Amino acid sequence: MGHHHVSSSAMFTNVLIVLLILTAVTVIASRIDFGPANMLIAMLIASVKASLVILFFMHMKWDTAINKIVFLSSFLFLSLLFIFTLADQATRRIDHPMHATKAKVSKEWAYPKPAMSEKH
Amino acid sequence: MTTHAPILDTQKAKSEQPKNYLNCSSGFWSWAGTLDHKRIGIMYLIGTGLAFLAGGLFALLVRLHLWEPNGMLFTNDQYNEIFTLHGAFMVFLFVIPAIPGSLGNMILPLMLGAKDVALPRLNLLSFYLWVMGAVLAALAIVLGGFDTGWTFYAPYSLYTNKAVVTIGLGIFLLGFSSIFTGLNFIVTTHKLRAPGLTWFRMPLFVWALYATALLQVLATPVLGITVLLVAFERLYHIGIFDPRLGGDPVLFEHFFWFYSHPAVYIMVLPAFGIISELVSVHSRKPLFGYKLIAFSSLAIAIISFLVWGHHMFTSGQSTYAMFAFSFLTFFVAIPTAIKEFSWVATIWKGSIALNSPMLYTLAFLIIFAIGGLTGVILGALNVDLHLHDTYFVVAHFHYVMMGSIALAFFAGLHHWWPKMFGVMYNETLAKIACVTIFVGFNVTFLPQFEMGSQGMPRRYATYVPEFQPYHSASTVGAIILGSGVALMVSYLVASLFIGKKAMQNQWGGVTLDWLTPTPPPLENFAHAPKVTTEVYDYSTLDLKSTQTPIG
Amino acid sequence: MSHDGHHSVVIPAPGPEFVPHTVAHHFDTPVQEFQSAKLGFWLFLATEILLFGGLFAAYFYYHDLYPETFRVGGQQLDWKLGAVNTSVLLLSSWTMAMGVRSAQTSQKQKTMLFCALTVLGAVIFMVIKFFEYKAKTEHGLFVFPHMFDNYQVDGSSNAGSLAWFTDVHNVMVDETGAPLLHGHLFFAIYVTMTAIHGLHVIIGAGLILWIMKGVAKGRFHAGYYLPVDLVGLYWHLVDLIWIFLFPLLYLVP
């Protein structure tokens, strides 16, 4: 039938505990302002959690090479979508000054219908 | 599991005829519920063939309308709908699904020495998703049509009072049809190869379908989410692409072309695979640069993900993004050129048979050279700024989509017709049709390069009188082209009823698909083949099989 | 049967409470069937990553374009409920993994139990989601119940009025009290991402219920647990997506 690796219950439980701890870490880290690195740190912690789920819960650590390549390549090609669209957006302000400013608008202009609050 | 209907009395006369996948069972459900890849391939052939004819009819309407500068047939709004239908039907219902769905399904398992694809039920599901997509496309016409162009750009696609959500849902289903076919082919290629059939003994049609499948799996989901988001915008106004709500229409274009550029390689790579097979068989010579061609398919697949912005050079991207996309676009020409040169080198000093499949192949080699090179021209940022949205672009993509992909499809159809049906079509009519199609095609689209470079915009219902000679020539060409296609369809269909019996191995191929009986039995091979020779080794060819009719 | 005399392979049942499994006729061995199905399913999961990935790309794109909107928007979400939901999904991933393991070791009762617990996790997740959506609707930040209302365009100011974004408590403002640019956009993206994710939770729960039916019939055991394995993978994917959704949407410094 071919060798099928059966994980131990203890291994699954240990992974769960680490995942729950990392969730707490994510919440705590979000309370601290690292400036522009905020997003990066949050994503890094999430990536560690994701790796644990993929490697252990989804059994990828003991799976065939082709299955690993298939799943990981989806992230690789997705990153191309991220990189090019974000780079386009980010570099537009070099071309056109209007992309660099974010003008404030009044609520009436943005949502011209009877408002429900008396603030304006 | 397929079930076999009992042999009826009326079939007793044919009982000496060996059982093959066509006659082993009969009745509507034996086809509608089949799990056999060959029957599914036939159903795809009929479906995508009908879609091609419908798309062709829309094209003829477009060309007839443009006979006169003020438009001969339609109002401007109607014209927008007609050319949109032409594009959408052709791209989504024919060019993307046809070769993998029909010839791919039919031939891939045979070439691998397998009994079927790896996931036959998924295969049938793929076909039914195609059917549902086609039904929704037809429904969209009834519900008011759509006039956005096949690219349904935001913001117009968000506002236009047409059946955009209907066709969007249809495209979503067609996308999953494509994804599941690609998924199936990848698994089949990895897991169901016959003993001895290593990766570098696989025919190049398989390599081509494999590279196509990678694109189908990795790129199409982004089209899926894009269509969903457009639907959400139209229904719930989430504001993601609508500039009035803070959305960015250019983001729509990024999402759309992230799929649609790899999509053009989903369209063309299978065509390249067909040509690779045909140049070898009809020159009775091994492929020149087999490994080069195999790897070039993978290279094209990968590079195709890096260039999509070249469709958006006038949309408002940052200059730096445009530089990057233009620069990267040139690289995709390299593996493509490797293929073109390798094919020509294969034919060189081969034992060339100028039969109809080979004539279509030669036509492809000429037309694709023009189509591919004009693509490189358009990839140059500074040139494209002038040529974007002109007839130059229209001519380029018709040279690759119609002149190359459709012609390769016709070539493959003629090449594998005897294998699929056990009959031969009228070879003289086939040659006439091929020449007619070649002439008609070039008369239609060659003038369009010129008028495009002179500034004739695309998707315009009317034009200034100075372009009329070009448009008239193009319309005449379209009529010639249509006649050629009509002739082709006629003799092919006629051959099913009155065609002569085909030879066991009509053209003298040596890949596993030619070694099965003609037509193949349900299980493809009487005994699982063991592969011991290299691919395209014509010294193994049994010449008697090319002279012995079946039955 | 097939014409060449090749008989289908049958995997015997390991005990009286199980049934044997017949390998599909186009495969030569059970291993080929197992590996083909697994590879096919990983390919399908890859497509799901790319489908959701598009939504994440839109999120990052607009987060960069309207950082204040996204910051204030994120603050409107209850991070505690989000953290509970994250923990629920992680736990349900654990129960699912344990369920697959039980099938692998032919423990019928345990497989049933772990599958049921996983479905319970899904239900808890959706209930919490429902209350979150309800609260946001009451604050006028949200889509339902005015989702299909008419969308007017004011030609002169070039701005649109959105029937569903009423912002009753005026929360989407900056420190001076001026409304944030396109305040609705954060919530539009939030709803789209979490609703599509929620749909996958429901589908996953449905698949697990289907598995439970098969478990009851004794179809899954050490010789053949493939469907349990594949549904498990799907469930872990649902968890994976949420692992990234939670910090992006709920946690802002």
Side-chain angles (χ1 to χ4, degrees), chain A residues 14 26-28 61 97 106:
Chain A
N14 290 337
T26 313
V27 174
I28 295 167
K61 192 162 185 288
S106 73

Side-chain angles (χ1 to χ4, degrees), chain C residues 123-143:
Chain C
V123 170
I124 295 173
F125 182 90
M126 292 311 295
V127 166
I128 294 179
K129 230 52 287 55
F130 169 76
F131 283 113
E132 283 188 274
Y133 279 6
K134 191 156 168 294
K136 293 293 161 293
T137 309
E138 279 154 12
H139 295 173
L141 296 171
F142 227 59
V143 189

Side-chain angles (χ1 to χ4, degrees), chain B residues 305-377:
Chain B
F305 276 99
L306 304 173
V307 303
W308 78 80
H310 66 229
H311 298 272
M312 301 158 54
F313 281 153
T314 61
S315 301
Q317 288 182 89
S318 84
T319 324
Y320 303 93
M322 293 199 282
F323 287 163
F325 280 125
S326 179
F327 178 69
L328 290 165
T329 300
F330 292 117
F331 286 98
V332 80
I334 300 173
T336 315
I338 288 175
K339 287 183 188 287
E340 180 90 354
F341 289 130
S342 299
W343 293 323
V344 175
T346 302
I347 301 176
W348 181 257
K349 291 203 173 164
S351 172
I352 302 169
L354 282 178
N355 47 41
S356 45
M358 190 55 161
L359 284 182
Y360 278 107
T361 305
L362 294 174
F364 172 98
L365 291 173
I366 298 169
I367 293 177
F368 180 69
I370 299 173
L373 285 172
T374 51
V376 180
I377 294 174

Side-chain angles (χ1 to χ4, degrees), chain C residues 110-130:
Chain C
K110 274 196 176 170
T111 313
M112 250 341 215
L113 173 68
F114 283 121
C115 284
L117 286 173
T118 312
V119 174
L120 180 64
V123 170
I124 295 173
F125 182 90
M126 292 311 295
V127 166
I128 294 179
K129 230 52 287 55
F130 169 76

Side-chain angles (χ1 to χ4, degrees), chain B residues 162-397:
Chain B
K162 298 276 175 193
V164 173
V165 175
T166 310
I167 187 65
L169 182 60
I171 291 172
F172 187 83
L173 296 176
L174 290 167
F176 271 94
S177 170
S178 186
I179 289 173
F180 291 148
T181 299
L183 195 156
N184 225 333
F185 285 2
I186 293 175
V187 181
T188 309
T189 310
H190 275 275
K191 299 293 177 191
L192 261 61
R193 275 172 287 125
L197 189 61
T198 60
W199 280 83
F200 293 114
R201 284 181 177 170
M202 292 195 316
L204 285 167
F205 188 42
V206 178
W207 275 102
L209 288 169
Y210 183 78
T212 307
L214 295 176
L215 291 174
Q216 286 172 298
V217 167
L218 289 171
T220 319
V222 177
L223 177 74
I225 195 69
T226 308
V227 161
L228 273 183
L229 288 173
V230 168
F232 287 173
E233 269 274 30
R234 286 183 66 91
L235 295 173
Y236 320 138
H237 315 301
I238 52 176
I240 193 165
F241 298 134
D242 188 344
R244 299 176 298 187
L245 298 174
D248 188 351
V250 178
L251 183 66
F252 169 86
E253 296 187 32
H254 278 300
F255 279 13
F256 180 81
W257 288 112
F258 181 85
Y259 164 72
S260 296
H261 188 80
V264 310
Y265 294 102
I266 292 174
M267 301 180 213
V268 86
L269 282 171
F272 290 164
I274 294 175
I275 299 300
S276 298
E277 292 302 322
L278 268 60
V279 291
S280 174
V281 173
H282 297 282
S283 321
R284 203 158 281 172
K285 197 163 157 266
L287 252 314
F288 179 95
Y290 167 88
K291 274 195 178 165
L292 281 175
I293 299 180
F295 285 127
S296 70
S297 297
L298 295 177
I300 289 173
I302 294 171
I303 300 174
S304 73
F305 276 99
L306 304 173
V307 303
W308 78 80
H310 66 229
H311 298 272
M312 301 158 54
F313 281 153
T314 61
S315 301
Q317 288 182 89
S318 84
T319 324
Y320 303 93
M322 293 199 282
F323 287 163
F325 280 125
S326 179
F327 178 69
L328 290 165
T329 300
F330 292 117
F331 286 98
V332 80
I334 300 173
T336 315
I338 288 175
K339 287 183 188 287
E340 180 90 354
F341 289 130
S342 299
W343 293 323
V344 175
T346 302
I347 301 176
W348 181 257
K349 291 203 173 164
S351 172
I352 302 169
L354 282 178
N355 47 41
S356 45
M358 190 55 161
L359 284 182
Y360 278 107
T361 305
L362 294 174
F364 172 98
L365 291 173
I366 298 169
I367 293 177
F368 180 69
I370 299 173
L373 285 172
T374 51
V376 180
I377 294 174
L378 287 168
L381 172 59
N382 48 354
V383 175
D384 187 77
L385 289 178
H386 298 278
L387 294 178
H388 181 79
D389 264 353
T390 68
Y391 262 81
F392 193 94
V393 179
V394 176
H396 156 69
F397 68 67

Side-chain angles (χ1 to χ4, degrees), chain C residues 36-252:
Chain C
S36 297
K38 271 273 204 145
L39 174 57
F41 206 74
W42 279 110
L43 284 162
F44 173 68
L45 293 182
T47 68
E48 290 275 43
I49 293 288
L50 283 153
L51 191 94
F52 272 97
L55 289 172
F56 280 97
Y59 174 92
F60 286 124
Y61 193 88
Y62 287 114
H63 184 105
D64 194 48
L65 205 47
Y66 306 116
E68 278 303 301
T69 306
F70 274 65
R71 191 176 64 79
V72 177
Q75 285 167 350
Q76 306 311 313
L77 299 178
D78 188 344
W79 65 265
K80 296 189 224 55
L81 284 180
V84 169
N85 257 352
T86 309
S87 310
V88 165
L89 275 188
L90 289 172
L91 261 155
S92 75
S93 252
W94 178 81
T95 55
M96 190 69 225
M98 294 296 283
V100 174
R101 185 182 173 282
S102 305
Q104 267 181 309
T105 51
S106 302
Q107 296 178 78
K108 200 166 159 182
Q109 250 78 2
K110 274 196 176 170
T111 313
M112 250 341 215
L113 173 68
F114 283 121
C115 284
L117 286 173
T118 312
V119 174
L120 180 64
V123 170
I124 295 173
F125 182 90
M126 292 311 295
V127 166
I128 294 179
K129 230 52 287 55
F130 169 76
F131 283 113
E132 283 188 274
Y133 279 6
K134 191 156 168 294
K136 293 293 161 293
T137 309
E138 279 154 12
H139 295 173
L141 296 171
F142 227 59
V143 189
F144 333 109
H146 295 289
M147 245 158 82
F148 297 99
D149 280 5
N150 254 335
Y151 167 58
Q152 280 95 36
V153 178
D154 182 334
S156 59
S157 68
N158 222 27
S161 75
L162 281 167
W164 53 264
F165 186 77
T166 49
D167 195 3
V168 189
H169 303 295
N170 230 23
V171 294
M172 293 300 285
V173 294
D174 65 11
E175 57 276 351
T176 68
L180 287 165
L181 207 57
H182 304 297
H184 62 269
L185 199 56
F186 174 82
F187 296 98
I189 291 181
Y190 167 75
V191 169
T192 308
M193 291 178 98
T194 55
I196 296 181
H197 175 261
L199 178 67
H200 283 73
V201 171
I202 294 172
I203 293 174
L207 287 172
I208 298 171
L209 286 170
W210 174 72
I211 289 289
M212 285 166 74
K213 237 181 70 173
V215 172
K217 292 199 187 135
R219 283 181 58 207
F220 309 125
H221 44 80
Y224 178 69
Y225 57 91
L226 184 60
V228 190
D229 199 342
L230 297 183
V231 169
L233 287 178
Y234 186 85
W235 188 253
H236 295 307
L237 179 86
V238 167
D239 186 24
L240 255 183
I241 293 164
W242 185 260
I243 284 175
F244 285 101
L245 274 182
F246 170 57
L248 280 184
L249 294 171
Y250 288 80
L251 300 179
V252 273

